[in-house]
Structure formats: structure tokens, C-alpha cells
PDB file of all heavy atoms in Angstrom:
ATOM      1  N   LEU A   1     -11.300   0.255   4.464  1.00  0.00           N
ATOM      2  CA  LEU A   1     -10.016   0.411   4.006  1.00  0.00           C
ATOM      3  C   LEU A   1      -9.693  -0.233   2.822  1.00  0.00           C
ATOM      4  O   LEU A   1      -9.099   0.446   1.896  1.00  0.00           O
ATOM      5  CB  LEU A   1      -9.020  -0.094   5.152  1.00  0.00           C
ATOM      6  CG  LEU A   1      -7.559  -0.183   4.848  1.00  0.00           C
ATOM      7  CD1 LEU A   1      -6.983   1.254   4.600  1.00  0.00           C
ATOM      8  CD2 LEU A   1      -6.824  -0.924   5.765  1.00  0.00           C
ATOM      9  N   LEU A   2     -10.321  -1.467   2.596  1.00  0.00           N
ATOM     10  CA  LEU A   2     -10.122  -2.134   1.235  1.00  0.00           C
ATOM     11  C   LEU A   2     -10.746  -1.333   0.117  1.00  0.00           C
ATOM     12  O   LEU A   2     -10.251  -1.360  -0.933  1.00  0.00           O
ATOM     13  CB  LEU A   2     -10.701  -3.535   1.395  1.00  0.00           C
ATOM     14  CG  LEU A   2      -9.947  -4.482   2.399  1.00  0.00           C
ATOM     15  CD1 LEU A   2     -10.560  -5.821   2.596  1.00  0.00           C
ATOM     16  CD2 LEU A   2      -8.403  -4.663   1.999  1.00  0.00           C
ATOM     17  N   GLU A   3     -11.849  -0.790   0.441  1.00  0.00           N
ATOM     18  CA  GLU A   3     -12.576  -0.163  -0.661  1.00  0.00           C
ATOM     19  C   GLU A   3     -11.754   1.128  -1.148  1.00  0.00           C
ATOM     20  O   GLU A   3     -11.494   1.486  -2.194  1.00  0.00           O
ATOM     21  CB  GLU A   3     -13.968   0.392  -0.078  1.00  0.00           C
ATOM     22  CG  GLU A   3     -14.736   1.112  -1.171  1.00  0.00           C
ATOM     23  CD  GLU A   3     -16.269   1.390  -0.643  1.00  0.00           C
ATOM     24  OE1 GLU A   3     -16.813   0.455   0.016  1.00  0.00           O
ATOM     25  OE2 GLU A   3     -16.593   2.541  -0.830  1.00  0.00           O
ATOM     26  N   ALA A   4     -11.244   1.819   0.058  1.00  0.00           N
ATOM     27  CA  ALA A   4     -10.489   3.139  -0.350  1.00  0.00           C
ATOM     28  C   ALA A   4      -9.104   2.700  -1.084  1.00  0.00           C
ATOM     29  O   ALA A   4      -8.662   3.416  -1.886  1.00  0.00           O
ATOM     30  CB  ALA A   4     -10.104   3.840   1.028  1.00  0.00           C
ATOM     31  N   LEU A   5      -8.593   1.536  -0.674  1.00  0.00           N
ATOM     32  CA  LEU A   5      -7.353   1.103  -1.250  1.00  0.00           C
ATOM     33  C   LEU A   5      -7.535   0.720  -2.648  1.00  0.00           C
ATOM     34  O   LEU A   5      -6.797   1.115  -3.645  1.00  0.00           O
ATOM     35  CB  LEU A   5      -6.770  -0.135  -0.481  1.00  0.00           C
ATOM     36  CG  LEU A   5      -5.581  -0.749  -1.125  1.00  0.00           C
ATOM     37  CD1 LEU A   5      -4.370   0.133  -1.095  1.00  0.00           C
ATOM     38  CD2 LEU A   5      -5.205  -2.105  -0.394  1.00  0.00           C
ATOM     39  N   ASP A   6      -8.663   0.073  -3.049  1.00  0.00           N
ATOM     40  CA  ASP A   6      -8.955  -0.260  -4.397  1.00  0.00           C
ATOM     41  C   ASP A   6      -9.106   0.931  -5.192  1.00  0.00           C
ATOM     42  O   ASP A   6      -8.684   1.013  -6.365  1.00  0.00           O
ATOM     43  CB  ASP A   6     -10.244  -1.114  -4.459  1.00  0.00           C
ATOM     44  CG  ASP A   6     -10.033  -2.531  -4.056  1.00  0.00           C
ATOM     45  OD1 ASP A   6      -8.907  -2.938  -3.946  1.00  0.00           O
ATOM     46  OD2 ASP A   6     -11.141  -3.155  -3.626  1.00  0.00           O
ATOM     47  N   ALA A   7      -9.767   1.959  -4.653  1.00  0.00           N
ATOM     48  CA  ALA A   7     -10.016   3.312  -5.322  1.00  0.00           C
ATOM     49  C   ALA A   7      -8.665   4.037  -5.553  1.00  0.00           C
ATOM     50  O   ALA A   7      -8.327   4.595  -6.707  1.00  0.00           O
ATOM     51  CB  ALA A   7     -10.899   4.172  -4.612  1.00  0.00           C
ATOM     52  N   PHE A   8      -7.723   3.930  -4.558  1.00  0.00           N
ATOM     53  CA  PHE A   8      -6.346   4.429  -4.633  1.00  0.00           C
ATOM     54  C   PHE A   8      -5.607   3.885  -5.847  1.00  0.00           C
ATOM     55  O   PHE A   8      -5.091   4.576  -6.615  1.00  0.00           O
ATOM     56  CB  PHE A   8      -5.640   4.335  -3.279  1.00  0.00           C
ATOM     57  CG  PHE A   8      -4.340   4.863  -3.303  1.00  0.00           C
ATOM     58  CD1 PHE A   8      -4.021   6.176  -3.321  1.00  0.00           C
ATOM     59  CD2 PHE A   8      -3.201   3.893  -3.123  1.00  0.00           C
ATOM     60  CE1 PHE A   8      -2.717   6.697  -3.244  1.00  0.00           C
ATOM     61  CE2 PHE A   8      -1.870   4.371  -3.069  1.00  0.00           C
ATOM     62  CZ  PHE A   8      -1.574   5.729  -3.159  1.00  0.00           C
ATOM     63  N   VAL A   9      -5.561   2.495  -5.888  1.00  0.00           N
ATOM     64  CA  VAL A   9      -4.842   1.783  -6.846  1.00  0.00           C
ATOM     65  C   VAL A   9      -5.427   2.126  -8.246  1.00  0.00           C
ATOM     66  O   VAL A   9      -4.729   2.353  -9.260  1.00  0.00           O
ATOM     67  CB  VAL A   9      -4.903   0.330  -6.627  1.00  0.00           C
ATOM     68  CG1 VAL A   9      -4.309  -0.507  -7.785  1.00  0.00           C
ATOM     69  CG2 VAL A   9      -4.043  -0.095  -5.439  1.00  0.00           C
ATOM     70  N   LEU A  10      -6.753   2.162  -8.304  1.00  0.00           N
ATOM     71  CA  LEU A  10      -7.388   2.485  -9.658  1.00  0.00           C
ATOM     72  C   LEU A  10      -7.021   3.949 -10.188  1.00  0.00           C
ATOM     73  O   LEU A  10      -6.767   4.036 -11.343  1.00  0.00           O
ATOM     74  CB  LEU A  10      -8.943   2.401  -9.585  1.00  0.00           C
ATOM     75  CG  LEU A  10      -9.712   2.493 -10.783  1.00  0.00           C
ATOM     76  CD1 LEU A  10      -9.365   1.511 -11.967  1.00  0.00           C
ATOM     77  CD2 LEU A  10     -11.158   2.479 -10.502  1.00  0.00           C
ATOM     78  N   GLU A  11      -6.990   4.735  -9.214  1.00  0.00           N
ATOM     79  CA  GLU A  11      -6.527   6.242  -9.563  1.00  0.00           C
ATOM     80  C   GLU A  11      -5.098   6.307  -9.983  1.00  0.00           C
ATOM     81  O   GLU A  11      -4.694   7.004 -10.839  1.00  0.00           O
ATOM     82  CB  GLU A  11      -6.859   7.064  -8.329  1.00  0.00           C
ATOM     83  CG  GLU A  11      -6.647   8.575  -8.746  1.00  0.00           C
ATOM     84  CD  GLU A  11      -7.501   9.188  -9.853  1.00  0.00           C
ATOM     85  OE1 GLU A  11      -8.710   8.609 -10.115  1.00  0.00           O
ATOM     86  OE2 GLU A  11      -7.142  10.117 -10.441  1.00  0.00           O
ATOM     87  N   LEU A  12      -4.196   5.542  -9.286  1.00  0.00           N
ATOM     88  CA  LEU A  12      -2.880   5.407  -9.590  1.00  0.00           C
ATOM     89  C   LEU A  12      -2.732   4.887 -11.120  1.00  0.00           C
ATOM     90  O   LEU A  12      -1.933   5.521 -11.909  1.00  0.00           O
ATOM     91  CB  LEU A  12      -2.053   4.542  -8.771  1.00  0.00           C
ATOM     92  CG  LEU A  12      -1.729   4.929  -7.280  1.00  0.00           C
ATOM     93  CD1 LEU A  12      -1.170   3.851  -6.491  1.00  0.00           C
ATOM     94  CD2 LEU A  12      -0.842   6.188  -7.298  1.00  0.00           C
ATOM     95  N   LYS A  13      -3.477   3.980 -11.422  1.00  0.00           N
ATOM     96  CA  LYS A  13      -3.397   3.349 -12.766  1.00  0.00           C
ATOM     97  C   LYS A  13      -4.066   4.433 -13.814  1.00  0.00           C
ATOM     98  O   LYS A  13      -3.431   4.447 -15.022  1.00  0.00           O
ATOM     99  CB  LYS A  13      -4.183   2.083 -12.895  1.00  0.00           C
ATOM    100  CG  LYS A  13      -3.581   0.906 -12.209  1.00  0.00           C
ATOM    101  CD  LYS A  13      -4.389  -0.402 -12.218  1.00  0.00           C
ATOM    102  CE  LYS A  13      -3.744  -1.496 -11.332  1.00  0.00           C
ATOM    103  NZ  LYS A  13      -4.553  -2.638 -11.380  1.00  0.00           N
ATOM    104  N   LYS A  14      -4.951   5.241 -13.551  1.00  0.00           N
ATOM    105  CA  LYS A  14      -5.479   6.244 -14.378  1.00  0.00           C
ATOM    106  C   LYS A  14      -4.506   7.297 -14.588  1.00  0.00           C
ATOM    107  O   LYS A  14      -4.231   7.738 -15.712  1.00  0.00           O
ATOM    108  CB  LYS A  14      -6.717   6.757 -13.817  1.00  0.00           C
ATOM    109  CG  LYS A  14      -7.980   5.757 -14.005  1.00  0.00           C
ATOM    110  CD  LYS A  14      -9.183   6.419 -13.459  1.00  0.00           C
ATOM    111  CE  LYS A  14     -10.386   5.515 -13.438  1.00  0.00           C
ATOM    112  NZ  LYS A  14     -11.519   6.284 -12.743  1.00  0.00           N
ATOM    113  N   ARG A  15      -3.837   7.804 -13.543  1.00  0.00           N
ATOM    114  CA  ARG A  15      -2.960   8.946 -13.561  1.00  0.00           C
ATOM    115  C   ARG A  15      -1.539   8.758 -14.194  1.00  0.00           C
ATOM    116  O   ARG A  15      -0.972   9.622 -14.725  1.00  0.00           O
ATOM    117  CB  ARG A  15      -2.769   9.459 -12.107  1.00  0.00           C
ATOM    118  CG  ARG A  15      -3.786  10.181 -11.589  1.00  0.00           C
ATOM    119  CD  ARG A  15      -3.570  10.507 -10.105  1.00  0.00           C
ATOM    120  NE  ARG A  15      -4.612  11.316  -9.552  1.00  0.00           N
ATOM    121  CZ  ARG A  15      -4.592  12.695  -9.390  1.00  0.00           C
ATOM    122  NH1 ARG A  15      -3.633  13.362  -9.884  1.00  0.00           N
ATOM    123  NH2 ARG A  15      -5.651  13.258  -9.000  1.00  0.00           N
ATOM    124  N   TYR A  16      -1.012   7.569 -14.119  1.00  0.00           N
ATOM    125  CA  TYR A  16       0.391   7.382 -14.447  1.00  0.00           C
ATOM    126  C   TYR A  16       0.519   6.212 -15.387  1.00  0.00           C
ATOM    127  O   TYR A  16      -0.142   5.259 -15.250  1.00  0.00           O
ATOM    128  CB  TYR A  16       1.301   7.089 -13.258  1.00  0.00           C
ATOM    129  CG  TYR A  16       1.037   8.119 -12.025  1.00  0.00           C
ATOM    130  CD1 TYR A  16       0.446   7.633 -10.853  1.00  0.00           C
ATOM    131  CD2 TYR A  16       1.212   9.493 -12.208  1.00  0.00           C
ATOM    132  CE1 TYR A  16       0.232   8.515  -9.823  1.00  0.00           C
ATOM    133  CE2 TYR A  16       0.915  10.302 -11.145  1.00  0.00           C
ATOM    134  CZ  TYR A  16       0.423   9.752  -9.986  1.00  0.00           C
ATOM    135  OH  TYR A  16       0.138  10.717  -8.969  1.00  0.00           O
ATOM    136  N   ALA A  17       1.315   6.455 -16.315  1.00  0.00           N
ATOM    137  CA  ALA A  17       1.759   5.317 -17.328  1.00  0.00           C
ATOM    138  C   ALA A  17       2.884   4.550 -16.826  1.00  0.00           C
ATOM    139  O   ALA A  17       4.022   4.463 -17.386  1.00  0.00           O
ATOM    140  CB  ALA A  17       2.051   5.995 -18.673  1.00  0.00           C
ATOM    141  N   ILE A  18       2.685   3.975 -15.583  1.00  0.00           N
ATOM    142  CA  ILE A  18       3.760   3.222 -14.920  1.00  0.00           C
ATOM    143  C   ILE A  18       3.052   2.004 -14.383  1.00  0.00           C
ATOM    144  O   ILE A  18       1.809   1.817 -14.073  1.00  0.00           O
ATOM    145  CB  ILE A  18       4.034   4.025 -13.682  1.00  0.00           C
ATOM    146  CG1 ILE A  18       4.691   5.403 -14.016  1.00  0.00           C
ATOM    147  CG2 ILE A  18       5.115   3.259 -12.804  1.00  0.00           C
ATOM    148  CD1 ILE A  18       5.026   6.267 -12.860  1.00  0.00           C
ATOM    149  N   ASP A  19       3.779   0.919 -14.395  1.00  0.00           N
ATOM    150  CA  ASP A  19       3.242  -0.470 -13.873  1.00  0.00           C
ATOM    151  C   ASP A  19       2.923  -0.216 -12.400  1.00  0.00           C
ATOM    152  O   ASP A  19       3.673   0.439 -11.568  1.00  0.00           O
ATOM    153  CB  ASP A  19       4.392  -1.580 -14.034  1.00  0.00           C
ATOM    154  CG  ASP A  19       4.525  -1.904 -15.516  1.00  0.00           C
ATOM    155  OD1 ASP A  19       3.556  -1.802 -16.231  1.00  0.00           O
ATOM    156  OD2 ASP A  19       5.542  -2.536 -15.777  1.00  0.00           O
ATOM    157  N   ILE A  20       1.817  -0.804 -12.020  1.00  0.00           N
ATOM    158  CA  ILE A  20       1.382  -0.788 -10.533  1.00  0.00           C
ATOM    159  C   ILE A  20       1.296  -2.275 -10.146  1.00  0.00           C
ATOM    160  O   ILE A  20       0.648  -3.043 -10.885  1.00  0.00           O
ATOM    161  CB  ILE A  20       0.003  -0.019 -10.346  1.00  0.00           C
ATOM    162  CG1 ILE A  20      -0.141   1.226 -11.155  1.00  0.00           C
ATOM    163  CG2 ILE A  20      -0.291   0.091  -8.985  1.00  0.00           C
ATOM    164  CD1 ILE A  20       0.680   2.382 -10.600  1.00  0.00           C
ATOM    165  N   ASP A  21       1.825  -2.575  -8.946  1.00  0.00           N
ATOM    166  CA  ASP A  21       1.684  -3.838  -8.367  1.00  0.00           C
ATOM    167  C   ASP A  21       1.393  -3.714  -7.040  1.00  0.00           C
ATOM    168  O   ASP A  21       1.545  -2.748  -6.324  1.00  0.00           O
ATOM    169  CB  ASP A  21       3.017  -4.662  -8.598  1.00  0.00           C
ATOM    170  CG  ASP A  21       2.925  -6.079  -8.725  1.00  0.00           C
ATOM    171  OD1 ASP A  21       1.717  -6.582  -8.408  1.00  0.00           O
ATOM    172  OD2 ASP A  21       3.884  -6.826  -8.999  1.00  0.00           O
ATOM    173  N   GLU A  22       0.874  -4.924  -6.434  1.00  0.00           N
ATOM    174  CA  GLU A  22       0.533  -4.898  -5.035  1.00  0.00           C
ATOM    175  C   GLU A  22       1.167  -6.022  -4.398  1.00  0.00           C
ATOM    176  O   GLU A  22       1.446  -7.136  -5.037  1.00  0.00           O
ATOM    177  CB  GLU A  22      -1.085  -5.054  -4.923  1.00  0.00           C
ATOM    178  CG  GLU A  22      -1.781  -3.871  -5.464  1.00  0.00           C
ATOM    179  CD  GLU A  22      -3.255  -4.111  -5.251  1.00  0.00           C
ATOM    180  OE1 GLU A  22      -3.784  -4.582  -4.310  1.00  0.00           O
ATOM    181  OE2 GLU A  22      -4.022  -3.762  -6.340  1.00  0.00           O
ATOM    182  N   VAL A  23       1.431  -5.927  -3.133  1.00  0.00           N
ATOM    183  CA  VAL A  23       1.935  -7.051  -2.276  1.00  0.00           C
ATOM    184  C   VAL A  23       1.247  -7.205  -1.025  1.00  0.00           C
ATOM    185  O   VAL A  23       0.641  -6.149  -0.559  1.00  0.00           O
ATOM    186  CB  VAL A  23       3.548  -6.905  -2.008  1.00  0.00           C
ATOM    187  CG1 VAL A  23       4.250  -7.048  -3.253  1.00  0.00           C
ATOM    188  CG2 VAL A  23       3.814  -5.664  -1.228  1.00  0.00           C
ATOM    189  N   ASP A  24       1.327  -8.294  -0.403  1.00  0.00           N
ATOM    190  CA  ASP A  24       0.570  -8.540   0.850  1.00  0.00           C
ATOM    191  C   ASP A  24       1.373  -7.757   1.872  1.00  0.00           C
ATOM    192  O   ASP A  24       2.633  -7.995   1.996  1.00  0.00           O
ATOM    193  CB  ASP A  24       0.599 -10.000   1.254  1.00  0.00           C
ATOM    194  CG  ASP A  24      -0.090 -10.287   2.573  1.00  0.00           C
ATOM    195  OD1 ASP A  24      -0.599  -9.442   3.314  1.00  0.00           O
ATOM    196  OD2 ASP A  24       0.049 -11.408   3.075  1.00  0.00           O
ATOM    197  N   GLU A  25       0.768  -6.775   2.583  1.00  0.00           N
ATOM    198  CA  GLU A  25       1.491  -6.102   3.577  1.00  0.00           C
ATOM    199  C   GLU A  25       1.059  -6.404   4.968  1.00  0.00           C
ATOM    200  O   GLU A  25       1.313  -5.653   5.914  1.00  0.00           O
ATOM    201  CB  GLU A  25       1.332  -4.445   3.389  1.00  0.00           C
ATOM    202  CG  GLU A  25      -0.063  -4.145   3.366  1.00  0.00           C
ATOM    203  CD  GLU A  25      -0.431  -3.128   4.481  1.00  0.00           C
ATOM    204  OE1 GLU A  25       0.568  -2.611   5.069  1.00  0.00           O
ATOM    205  OE2 GLU A  25      -1.642  -2.956   4.852  1.00  0.00           O
ATOM    206  N   SER A  26       0.547  -7.662   5.222  1.00  0.00           N
ATOM    207  CA  SER A  26       0.138  -7.920   6.573  1.00  0.00           C
ATOM    208  C   SER A  26       1.349  -7.860   7.517  1.00  0.00           C
ATOM    209  O   SER A  26       2.394  -8.386   7.143  1.00  0.00           O
ATOM    210  CB  SER A  26      -0.364  -9.454   6.460  1.00  0.00           C
ATOM    211  OG  SER A  26      -1.504  -9.576   5.712  1.00  0.00           O
ATOM    212  N   PHE A  27       1.048  -7.188   8.574  1.00  0.00           N
ATOM    213  CA  PHE A  27       2.073  -7.064   9.652  1.00  0.00           C
ATOM    214  C   PHE A  27       3.246  -6.111   9.352  1.00  0.00           C
ATOM    215  O   PHE A  27       4.152  -6.059  10.183  1.00  0.00           O
ATOM    216  CB  PHE A  27       2.468  -8.433  10.102  1.00  0.00           C
ATOM    217  CG  PHE A  27       1.531  -9.455  10.401  1.00  0.00           C
ATOM    218  CD1 PHE A  27       1.246 -10.453   9.587  1.00  0.00           C
ATOM    219  CD2 PHE A  27       0.663  -9.246  11.601  1.00  0.00           C
ATOM    220  CE1 PHE A  27       0.156 -11.415   9.843  1.00  0.00           C
ATOM    221  CE2 PHE A  27      -0.435 -10.084  11.685  1.00  0.00           C
ATOM    222  CZ  PHE A  27      -0.648 -11.165  10.999  1.00  0.00           C
ATOM    223  N   THR A  28       3.340  -5.374   8.218  1.00  0.00           N
ATOM    224  CA  THR A  28       4.391  -4.576   7.943  1.00  0.00           C
ATOM    225  C   THR A  28       4.520  -3.386   9.006  1.00  0.00           C
ATOM    226  O   THR A  28       5.646  -3.089   9.339  1.00  0.00           O
ATOM    227  CB  THR A  28       4.356  -4.055   6.450  1.00  0.00           C
ATOM    228  OG1 THR A  28       3.216  -3.317   6.266  1.00  0.00           O
ATOM    229  CG2 THR A  28       4.636  -5.028   5.497  1.00  0.00           C
ATOM    230  N   SER A  29       3.317  -2.859   9.421  1.00  0.00           N
ATOM    231  CA  SER A  29       3.387  -1.793  10.365  1.00  0.00           C
ATOM    232  C   SER A  29       3.916  -2.266  11.730  1.00  0.00           C
ATOM    233  O   SER A  29       4.617  -1.627  12.406  1.00  0.00           O
ATOM    234  CB  SER A  29       1.957  -1.220  10.533  1.00  0.00           C
ATOM    235  OG  SER A  29       1.521  -0.411   9.386  1.00  0.00           O
ATOM    236  N   THR A  30       3.466  -3.509  12.141  1.00  0.00           N
ATOM    237  CA  THR A  30       3.951  -4.035  13.290  1.00  0.00           C
ATOM    238  C   THR A  30       5.413  -4.366  13.273  1.00  0.00           C
ATOM    239  O   THR A  30       6.162  -3.966  14.150  1.00  0.00           O
ATOM    240  CB  THR A  30       3.184  -5.399  13.565  1.00  0.00           C
ATOM    241  OG1 THR A  30       1.791  -5.091  13.785  1.00  0.00           O
ATOM    242  CG2 THR A  30       3.727  -5.949  14.929  1.00  0.00           C
ATOM    243  N   ALA A  31       6.009  -4.823  12.132  1.00  0.00           N
ATOM    244  CA  ALA A  31       7.353  -5.096  11.924  1.00  0.00           C
ATOM    245  C   ALA A  31       8.231  -3.857  11.966  1.00  0.00           C
ATOM    246  O   ALA A  31       9.272  -3.772  12.473  1.00  0.00           O
ATOM    247  CB  ALA A  31       7.624  -5.923  10.603  1.00  0.00           C
ATOM    248  N   ALA A  32       7.672  -2.884  11.204  1.00  0.00           N
ATOM    249  CA  ALA A  32       8.233  -1.467  11.278  1.00  0.00           C
ATOM    250  C   ALA A  32       8.484  -0.926  12.579  1.00  0.00           C
ATOM    251  O   ALA A  32       9.497  -0.458  12.955  1.00  0.00           O
ATOM    252  CB  ALA A  32       7.429  -0.522  10.231  1.00  0.00           C
ATOM    253  N   GLU A  33       7.394  -1.003  13.362  1.00  0.00           N
ATOM    254  CA  GLU A  33       7.437  -0.431  14.713  1.00  0.00           C
ATOM    255  C   GLU A  33       8.469  -1.191  15.569  1.00  0.00           C
ATOM    256  O   GLU A  33       9.287  -0.618  16.408  1.00  0.00           O
ATOM    257  CB  GLU A  33       5.989  -0.521  15.359  1.00  0.00           C
ATOM    258  CG  GLU A  33       6.041   0.202  16.766  1.00  0.00           C
ATOM    259  CD  GLU A  33       4.619   0.401  17.155  1.00  0.00           C
ATOM    260  OE1 GLU A  33       3.598  -0.232  16.517  1.00  0.00           O
ATOM    261  OE2 GLU A  33       4.412   0.890  18.216  1.00  0.00           O
ATOM    262  N   GLU A  34       8.499  -2.549  15.502  1.00  0.00           N
ATOM    263  CA  GLU A  34       9.476  -3.270  16.211  1.00  0.00           C
ATOM    264  C   GLU A  34      10.896  -2.971  15.690  1.00  0.00           C
ATOM    265  O   GLU A  34      11.838  -2.847  16.609  1.00  0.00           O
ATOM    266  CB  GLU A  34       9.238  -4.826  15.980  1.00  0.00           C
ATOM    267  CG  GLU A  34       8.012  -5.346  16.727  1.00  0.00           C
ATOM    268  CD  GLU A  34       7.555  -6.739  16.350  1.00  0.00           C
ATOM    269  OE1 GLU A  34       8.378  -7.480  15.709  1.00  0.00           O
ATOM    270  OE2 GLU A  34       6.506  -7.144  16.815  1.00  0.00           O
ATOM    271  N   THR A  35      11.115  -2.672  14.530  1.00  0.00           N
ATOM    272  CA  THR A  35      12.381  -2.410  13.906  1.00  0.00           C
ATOM    273  C   THR A  35      12.820  -1.003  14.448  1.00  0.00           C
ATOM    274  O   THR A  35      13.983  -0.903  14.945  1.00  0.00           O
ATOM    275  CB  THR A  35      12.379  -2.307  12.473  1.00  0.00           C
ATOM    276  OG1 THR A  35      12.044  -3.654  11.920  1.00  0.00           O
ATOM    277  CG2 THR A  35      13.790  -2.008  11.877  1.00  0.00           C
ATOM    278  N   LEU A  36      11.945  -0.049  14.543  1.00  0.00           N
ATOM    279  CA  LEU A  36      12.239   1.273  15.047  1.00  0.00           C
ATOM    280  C   LEU A  36      12.490   1.144  16.480  1.00  0.00           C
ATOM    281  O   LEU A  36      13.495   1.909  17.019  1.00  0.00           O
ATOM    282  CB  LEU A  36      11.143   2.257  14.625  1.00  0.00           C
ATOM    283  CG  LEU A  36      11.110   2.564  13.242  1.00  0.00           C
ATOM    284  CD1 LEU A  36       9.790   3.408  12.909  1.00  0.00           C
ATOM    285  CD2 LEU A  36      12.351   3.440  12.708  1.00  0.00           C
ATOM    286  N   ARG A  37      11.742   0.470  17.209  1.00  0.00           N
ATOM    287  CA  ARG A  37      11.930   0.387  18.698  1.00  0.00           C
ATOM    288  C   ARG A  37      13.202  -0.198  19.015  1.00  0.00           C
ATOM    289  O   ARG A  37      13.979   0.228  19.961  1.00  0.00           O
ATOM    290  CB  ARG A  37      10.779  -0.478  19.386  1.00  0.00           C
ATOM    291  CG  ARG A  37       9.503   0.377  19.464  1.00  0.00           C
ATOM    292  CD  ARG A  37       8.553  -0.501  20.346  1.00  0.00           C
ATOM    293  NE  ARG A  37       7.206   0.125  20.233  1.00  0.00           N
ATOM    294  CZ  ARG A  37       6.737   1.325  20.751  1.00  0.00           C
ATOM    295  NH1 ARG A  37       7.548   1.939  21.431  1.00  0.00           N
ATOM    296  NH2 ARG A  37       5.528   1.704  20.604  1.00  0.00           N
ATOM    297  N   ALA A  38      13.643  -1.162  18.304  1.00  0.00           N
ATOM    298  CA  ALA A  38      14.998  -1.872  18.520  1.00  0.00           C
ATOM    299  C   ALA A  38      16.102  -0.974  18.237  1.00  0.00           C
ATOM    300  O   ALA A  38      17.105  -0.859  18.854  1.00  0.00           O
ATOM    301  CB  ALA A  38      15.122  -3.286  17.641  1.00  0.00           C
ATOM    302  N   GLY A  39      15.948  -0.251  17.109  1.00  0.00           N
ATOM    303  CA  GLY A  39      17.001   0.744  16.739  1.00  0.00           C
ATOM    304  C   GLY A  39      17.014   1.845  17.782  1.00  0.00           C
ATOM    305  O   GLY A  39      18.145   2.295  18.043  1.00  0.00           O
TER     306      GLY A  39
END
């Protein structure tokens, strides 16, 4: 997953003249699922 993510970010940088940034997304899927279940 990390290798594919690095390739994805590299390709984004090649394709677009747009700033690319990364953030730690640990537990976002878990938090999203909890938010949706609560809703």
C-alpha cells in the first residue's frame, strides 16, 4: 500500500501543476465509519 501510495503521489506531481501535500490519515476510515453509523 505504501509503495502504491508513493507512486500515486509521484504521478499526481507529474500530471498537475498543483501543490500536493500529505497528512497522516491513521484511523480516518474507522472514524468515518463511526460517524456514518452514528448518523
